[in-house]
């Protein structure tokens, strides 16, 4: 058996079972801490609303105005039998995220030799469990934890193949008969890539990048025919599993941003900051502090690649190259695409790139240990652990990411105001969290969404934020809104994203003219306004 074969066999040993199980248990405690405390923000309210639709509407109507696949919402719909509160609807993300931990540990072990395998795997698991970015993803009812799990399935499977070249080139029928673990690895590549695509519309980009890395590795190995056939079978499996959504993706690609989009093209600093933030995790720090700390983390991650290749039985060069490519290229492609076509650059859409960075960080002690005095070399793992602990401390679990989106409190305060008033909501999508909390808390709300209840669809509208559910403001919409409010003396005005939906300021200018008396503006983007009294004065709040 070759060294690479020994590494593969060692990767499948049971020596990591209890250490990884303990890390998973700790990760569960971290992620369940304060899970239901933060209010849903707008995107989570989307998840709650979409998952409450019937199956036909979810798969035929929702894709026409929602830019994400319906797969995650379908899983969440099945989960709703356990409850619809914030805590319960966020649990699937916790489970997806914690299920990623053993795959991260296995990936690190596949990249290591017999001497360093256990410690690298455990360290990688701990770093993932303590990543502030991953904790945030786990505590949101959004598809990003599922996307990261899919990435882990695909990456771990790819590493299993790349670190066992001699076995990977055997005919598939022989693998199915004699080496089912290797056959499972090829299947895992296809399943992981398909799940990436099903979880988010940026997922196919990750799949294509990983496929390109595997193709380059195949060329570097001398382009053996048997290996190519097996890789093509993986690609075919991914295409087969994802095929039902391809027409939907093409439809969404054509309609997304056809009349505008809420994102702006990013500058070079934005992509640099995102790449630097990958090893650090989401932090509440800003400015020079986060850039300095993230740069230090990136340097430690790069040292980890050197440590990985310093092992006596190091993996093929294609392994660290693949890790670097998966860590950086998704963000770079997102940046380029945002300037060449549709702006799509958002850190959360490519935060799955953190996986290869954390795997690299797990090997940093190998590079740092020779730099330390002999008596202190045992402390080398403390460096990446300290970085992860600092990042988690700066953004503790259970805290809201968006302080201006406490819709639970906003809804309660407006519903329980001493003098009832209609809620005028623009754009229409902003009624999602109000509807959710009005129903869950049993609060009476008189909502007038502009120009109608979400989704508002029709050829007469334009959609400057992308999708097709919230129209941009026009004089016609404004006239209809004022007619509907003719009998109201006071109103709550709830807005969001007016720079995108109403850049000319038509809506607020008219509302302020019709309701000139400002009675309450203590909530972000929410104002209580009234008309003047018959004597020309403003009433009390």
């Amino acid at each position: 058996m070759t060294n690479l074969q020994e590494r593969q066999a060692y990767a499948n040993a049971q020596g990591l079972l209890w250490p990884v199980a303990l890390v998973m248990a700790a990760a569960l405690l971290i992620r369940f801490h304060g899970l239901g405390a933060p209010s849903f923000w707008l995107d989570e309210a989307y998840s709650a609303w979409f998952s409450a639709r019937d199956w036909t509407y979810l798969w035929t109507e929702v894709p026409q105005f929602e830019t994400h696949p319906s797969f995650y919402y379908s899983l969440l719909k099945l989960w709703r039998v356990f409850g619809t509160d914030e805590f319960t609807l966020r649990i699937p993300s916790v489970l997806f995220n914690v299920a990623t931990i053993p795959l991260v540990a296995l990936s690190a072990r596949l990249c290591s030799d017999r001497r360093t395998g256990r410690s690298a795997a455990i360290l990688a698991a701990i770093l993932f469990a303590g990543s502030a970015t991953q904790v945030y993803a786990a505590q949101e009812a959004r598809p990003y934890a599922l996307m990261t799990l899919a990435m882990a399935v695909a990456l771990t499977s790819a590493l299993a193949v790349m670190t066992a070249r001699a076995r990977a080139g055997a005919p598939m029928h022989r693998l199915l008969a004699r080496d089912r673990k290797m056959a499972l690895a090829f299947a895992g590549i296809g399943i992981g890539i398909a799940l990436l695509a099903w979880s988010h519309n940026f997922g196919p980009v990750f799949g294509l990048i990983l496929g390109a890395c595997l193709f380059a590795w195949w060329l570097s190995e001398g382009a053996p025919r048997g290996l190519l056939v097996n890789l093509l079978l993986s690609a075919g499996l991914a295409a087969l599993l994802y095929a039902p959504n391809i027409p939907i993706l093409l439809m969404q690609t054509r309609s997304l941003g056809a009349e505008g989009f809420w994102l702006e093209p990013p500058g070079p600093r934005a992509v640099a900051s995102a790449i630097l933030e990958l090893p650090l995790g989401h932090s509440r720090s800003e400015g020079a502090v986060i850039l300095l700390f993230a740069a230090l983390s990136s340097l430690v991650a790069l040292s980890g690649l050197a440590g990985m290749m310093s092992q006596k039985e190091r993996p093929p060069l294609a392994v660290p190259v693949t890790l670097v490519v998966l860590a950086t290229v998704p963000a770079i492609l997102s940046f380029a695409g945002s300037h060449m076509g549709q702006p799509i650059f958002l850190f959360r859409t490519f935060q799955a790139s953190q996986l290869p960075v954390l795997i690299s960080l797990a090997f940093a002690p190998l590079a740092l240990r020779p730099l330390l005095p002999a008596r202190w070399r045992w402390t080398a793992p403390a460096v990446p652990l300290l970085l992860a602990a600092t990042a988690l401390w700066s953004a503790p679990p259970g805290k809201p990411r968006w302080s201006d989106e406490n819709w639970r409190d906003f809804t309660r305060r407006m519903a329980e105001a001493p003098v009832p008033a209609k809620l005028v909501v623009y754009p229409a999508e902003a009624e999602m969290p109000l509807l959710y909390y009005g129903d869950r808390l049993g609060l009476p709300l008189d909502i007038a969404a502009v120009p109608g209840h979400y989704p508002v669809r029709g050829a007469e509208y334009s959609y400057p934020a992308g999708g097709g559910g919230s129209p941009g403001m026009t004089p016609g919409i404004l006239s209809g809104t004022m007619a509907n409010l003719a009998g109201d003396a006071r109103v709550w005005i709830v807005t969001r994203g007016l720079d995108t939906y109403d850049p000319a300021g038509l809506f607020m200018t008219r509302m302020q003219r019709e309701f000139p008396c400002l009675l309450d503006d203590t909530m972000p983007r929410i104002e209580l306004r009234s008309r003047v009294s018959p004597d020309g004065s403003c009433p009390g709040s």
Side-chain angles (χ1 to χ4, degrees), residues 371-393:
L371 304 178
L372 298 173
R375 59 183 299 186
W376 294 106
R377 289 178 180 174
W378 63 274
T379 64
V383 176
L385 287 175
L386 181 60
L387 292 173
T390 304
L392 186 60
W393 171 82

Side-chain angles (χ1 to χ4, degrees), residues 190-274:
I191 293 171
I193 290 176
L195 188 56
L196 269 166
W198 276 111
S199 61
H200 193 279
N201 281 342
F202 195 71
V205 176
F206 277 98
L208 290 173
I209 294 171
L210 180 58
C213 291
L214 288 168
F215 182 75
W217 167 68
W218 169 74
L219 290 176
S220 70
E221 293 292 328
R225 181 178 179 276
L227 180 58
L228 176 62
V229 171
N230 291 341
L231 291 174
L232 289 176
L233 288 173
S234 295
L237 177 61
L240 179 65
L241 294 176
Y242 184 60
N245 197 58
I246 292 177
I248 297 176
L249 176 65
L250 294 176
M251 180 271 294
Q252 291 176 321
T253 302
R254 287 193 300 268
S255 62
L256 174 64
E259 299 172 317
F261 202 58
W262 64 277
L263 284 174
E264 296 291 335
R269 183 172 181 178
V271 68
S273 297

